[in-house]
Amino acid sequence: MSAIEAGSDTAEPLAVEPPAVPLANRIAAELVGTAALVAVVVGSGIQATELTEDVGLQLLANSLATVFGLGVLILLLGPVSGAHFNPVVTLAEWWTGRRDPKGLGLREVAAYIPAQIAGAIGGAILADAMFGKALVQWSTHDRSAGHLLLGEVVATAGLVLLIFGLAKTGHLRSAPVAVASYIGAAYWFTSSTSFANPAVAIGRAFTDTFAGIAPSSLPGFIGMELVGGAVGLALVALIFTRRGRAAA
């Protein structure tokens, strides 16, 4: 996942999105990657509910499939687009590199985010199709409770802190394992089961299955994910920005 350059106080973009990669290729990678991610999340949720009625086992199966799928997708598509698959990560990448001419520009942001949303919707429809479900059936799974919204702030803040913290410390190559592991853990330690991604949340509204979210719950989830992204960036600045240079 692209982020800020390791050890940089000015949050320069990491050269994980080579300028030689055409924007069309990067958009395709974001669309396909997000679609595959949502297909994994929704499809494994459907499979789990068909195999067992134990909710704990259902969540375990869903989280394990997500961990493996996300890790592979980041490893495969990271060198092409940065493997954001997430509007919050894209916006954070733009914000941290907005003063750098080599950073992610508004043109890329305006292309990435619609591709991510379209991919997420397509992935949910694909998963439903594979399991013989209605292709579009709005979820009835209400997730509007306050403690779930708090869980989304925590999940998204932790994700942003992890990605940009890895970049600051020069360990961004570990992102496939680290990010996938974090999401797997956050499935269990957050009350919301860690959507941490506005595009994925939108896609999951299109399926009335285990992984779904009611459309009425989307504004709260997306709002808290954006808040979580801002909190994550603030934590990166608090923890990793070097202040000794100015004092010296």
Side-chain angles (χ1 to χ4, degrees), residues 116-158:
Q116 292 159 354
I117 294 172
I121 295 171
I125 294 173
L126 175 62
D128 281 339
M130 287 192 292
F131 287 91
K133 306 292 184 182
L135 296 187
V136 176
Q137 188 172 8
W138 297 115
S139 175
T140 56
H141 193 164
D142 180 74
R143 300 178 187 263
S144 59
H147 65 282
L148 300 180
L149 299 180
L150 176 60
E152 276 304 281
V153 173
V154 172
T156 313

Side-chain angles (χ1 to χ4, degrees), residues 21-235:
V21 179
L23 180 58
N25 295 78
R26 288 183 275 157
I27 294 171
E30 287 297 302
L31 188 150
V32 171
T34 312
L37 174 60
V38 174
V40 168
V41 173
V42 174
S44 62
I46 297 172
Q47 185 79 284
T49 56
E50 292 184 351
L51 292 175
T52 178
E53 295 182 359
D54 188 313
V55 178
L57 288 178
Q58 291 171 358
L59 185 60
L60 178 62
N62 193 212
S63 61
L64 284 176
T66 302
V67 166
F68 295 136
L70 180 57
V72 168
L73 289 170
I74 295 173
L75 184 65
L76 175 65
L77 299 176
V80 180
S81 68
H84 295 185
F85 314 147
N86 188 336
V88 169
V89 174
T90 297
L91 289 170
E93 174 75 8
W94 164 74
W95 178 260
T96 57
R98 66 194 184 283
R99 294 188 180 91
D100 192 309
K102 296 181 180 179
L104 196 71
L106 287 175
R107 177 169 172 257
E108 286 87 354
V109 172
Y112 271 38
I113 292 178
Q116 292 159 354
I117 294 172
I121 295 171
I125 294 173
L126 175 62
D128 281 339
M130 287 192 292
F131 287 91
K133 306 292 184 182
L135 296 187
V136 176
Q137 188 172 8
W138 297 115
S139 175
T140 56
H141 193 164
D142 180 74
R143 300 178 187 263
S144 59
H147 65 282
L148 300 180
L149 299 180
L150 176 60
E152 276 304 281
V153 173
V154 172
T156 313
L159 177 63
V160 171
L161 174 61
L162 172 63
I163 295 170
F164 288 80
L166 286 174
K168 280 285 192 179
T169 56
H171 294 99
L172 199 56
R173 289 185 178 180
S174 301
V177 173
V179 173
S181 298
Y182 171 78
I183 292 298
Y187 255 87
W188 291 89
F189 80 77
T190 64
S191 56
S192 64
T193 65
S194 184
F195 284 48
N197 185 329
V200 167
I202 292 171
R204 288 168 68 166
F206 282 74
T207 176
D208 193 20
T209 58
F210 179 79
I213 176 174
S216 60
S217 299
L218 283 179
F221 257 54
I222 293 173
M224 292 304 100
E225 287 158 357
L226 293 173
V227 170
V231 171
L233 287 179
L235 290 173

